[in-house]
Amino acid sequence: MYTDEKHKNNNQSERNLNPAPVGLYLNNARLAFSNIPIFENLSAEISAGKWTCILGPSGVGKSALLRMIVGLGPKDPVTEISASDGSSLTEKISWMAQQDLLLPWLSVSKNVALGSHLRGIKPNKEKVSSLLNDVGMYKYCNDLPKILSGGQKQRVALARTLMEGRPIVLMDEPFSSVDAITRSRLQELAAKLLTNRTVLLVTHDPLEALRLGHNLFVMSGKPAKLGPVMQPADNIPRDPSNYSLQKIHSSILSQLETAVTESK
Amino acid sequence: MSRIRPFIILIGLLVVWQLIVTFSQVAPFILPSPLSVLVSAMDRIDELAKHALITTLEIIIGLFSGTVFGIISALSMVYFRPARSWLLPVLVVSQAIPVFALAPVLVLWFGYGLLPKIIMATLIIYFPVTAALYDGLRRTETGWLELAKTMGASRFSTLWKVRLPSAMPAFASGLRVATAVAPIGAVVGEWVGSSAGLGYYMLLMNGRVQTDAMFAALFILAIIAVSIYFLIDKVLRKCITWQTESNSSDQI
């Protein structure tokens, strides 16, 4: 009996760390401000356990799309968002923003455990420590975020996102505010730690999308549409100097270029 | 140097004061010399201590209750929408009516004891604390609130664990202002009607033309006010260590 119980607990915590992949169906997504549509009729499948990247020029509505999915932005009644396995989406999605959003009065480890703290549950301390270890920030666990650099803060934010243990992670240009080397390290770290999660990453950086995306879409136009899916080969994180990526890179650039000229 | 500068200024002022008295031959009941004020303070040290204790008590209790009421009001204004429309007028009125005008009524209602002075100090403190905290609570970074929302935090938990801590620097500014003005409430109350406290003592000595004793009381009041201010300031700085000062070199 006792061992059974223990086994079950172990199972549960493992499932929390590595949830079964769940994809997303986006059907007929629509967003309009004062009746001018930003995007409409937008449908896409966000494949389970894969990285999907949406590229687009600023102001095209990619962030708004992400916020709509996570439940922060306005959602038109015609929009349907559902999980690929038909289950409910509550408590399945976590969100990582462009800013680290660390609370300056909480220590690094308390910031990682923020979700439990806010829901009034006792955080799993070992999980916090092991995640901080994974992102290489364990030695700062008792420090306040103000002593950290931008890249270190994003590492902590990544650990906080993982701590939520949710199968779907939405990222809104989370690596765009750090320098190129730090960005590349963060991308590698995220690719490693988010294996088997469903990730939807919004970015304006084609190289980032090429490094991390299994499925790439370009979002452009007014109202915005998603372009055809592009699927580079190889495992992520890819080496951006990889020759086979050049063709996709130029295709992305030409799509973005048309988008920018059209909007002018 | 920066530490002893206030004392140099103080000593300089005292010297100027002494020189004015010495050379202008002004009557001692108009302007006593700093030395005679000191002598007078030493003579009446027991009496002064008794009155100072009462005034300090009024200020501290007033500060405490004003802060508590302020925190409760600010939190309810943010949490309950209807409370906003009910409490905002109260807040403005509490500041618009001068305490000086209320003092006689409060003395009439609550007698000559501590209570009317505490109420007056509370009224004076209530506004800056409430206004500052309310403002701070409404200006939480939207990103933090959105993050809390995606994490499934309840409204109460967001208020308590995100909005309130983030409003602490604003609250601290309000409390500093409140601490600086708190003695006004207590002293005005003592002027209007009381049988103890430094304000009462000053009026009494004024009536007896013992200007040196009045000045002694005034100085003690100033010392109390400044000490409470620095004490509160120190506690606030200790508690809110996470706030980064954009220019840490110009600390007070």
Side-chain angles (χ1 to χ4, degrees), chain B residues 8-20:
Chain B
I8 295 175
I9 293 170
L10 187 68
I11 291 167
L13 286 174
L14 286 175
V15 168
V16 171
W17 178 7
Q18 181 69 53
L19 287 176
I20 291 173

Side-chain angles (χ1 to χ4, degrees), chain A residues 148-199:
Chain A
L148 304 179
S149 69
Q152 289 174 320
K153 283 182 184 164
Q154 279 301 359
R155 280 167 186 263
V156 178
L158 181 63
R160 181 187 59 201
T161 311
L162 290 163
M163 183 68 195
E164 288 296 280
R166 297 184 175 177
I168 301 168
V169 176
L170 304 189
M171 296 181 148
D172 192 353
E173 305 187 8
F175 313 122
S176 62
S177 56
V178 293
D179 63 277
I181 305 295
T182 314
R183 188 183 313 155
S184 135
R185 288 208 186 120
L186 277 170
Q187 287 164 347
E188 276 163 28
L189 189 67
K192 191 179 103 196
L193 294 173
L194 286 166
T195 325
N196 281 328
R197 305 279 179 107
T198 307
V199 181

Side-chain angles (χ1 to χ4, degrees), chain A residues 67 70-72 93-95 99-105 111 114-120 144 146 160 164 166, chain B residues 140-154 157-158 161-163 165-167 241-244:
Chain A
R67 298 165 65 84
V70 78
L72 289 174
I93 305 178
S94 57
W95 179 62
Q99 310 88 6
D100 52 78
L101 300 179
L102 299 180
L103 300 182
W105 57 90
N111 260 300
L114 183 68
S116 331
H117 177 60
L118 285 176
R119 291 186 292 269
L144 289 180
K146 71 174 172 189
R160 181 187 59 201
E164 288 296 280
R166 297 184 175 177
Chain B
T140 321
E141 191 174 324
T142 21
W144 295 342
L145 299 176
E146 289 174 343
L147 181 71
K149 199 179 167 199
T150 65
M151 286 176 158
S154 66
S157 152
T158 310
K161 292 169 180 171
V162 181
R163 278 186 190 270
S166 82
T241 51
W242 54 269
Q243 188 193 13
T244 41

Side-chain angles (χ1 to χ4, degrees), chain B residues 202-239:
Chain B
M202 282 165 72
L203 270 194
L204 190 70
M205 290 299 125
N206 199 22
R208 291 183 186 172
V209 207
Q210 300 196 330
T211 319
D212 47 354
M214 202 188 105
F215 268 88
L218 185 65
F219 269 99
I220 291 181
L221 184 66
I223 291 170
I224 292 172
V226 171
S227 315
I228 295 181
Y229 178 84
F230 276 105
L231 190 74
I232 298 270
D233 185 60
K234 193 152 191 158
V235 170
L236 289 172
R237 272 176 201 281
K238 264 249 152 66
C239 294

Side-chain angles (χ1 to χ4, degrees), chain A residues 24-73:
Chain A
L24 268 181
Y25 287 131
L26 203 59
N27 199 8
N28 211 5
R30 179 176 190 275
L31 177 73
F33 289 120
S34 47
N35 268 331
I36 300 162
I38 307 296
F39 51 78
E40 54 188 354
N41 274 327
L42 204 100
S43 299
E45 187 195 337
I46 315 296
S47 327
K50 295 271 164 66
W51 282 67
T52 303
C53 295
I54 296 183
L55 275 150
S58 312
V60 78
K62 23 186 222 313
S63 287
L65 178 67
L66 217 59
R67 298 165 65 84
M68 177 187 274
I69 298 171
V70 78
L72 289 174

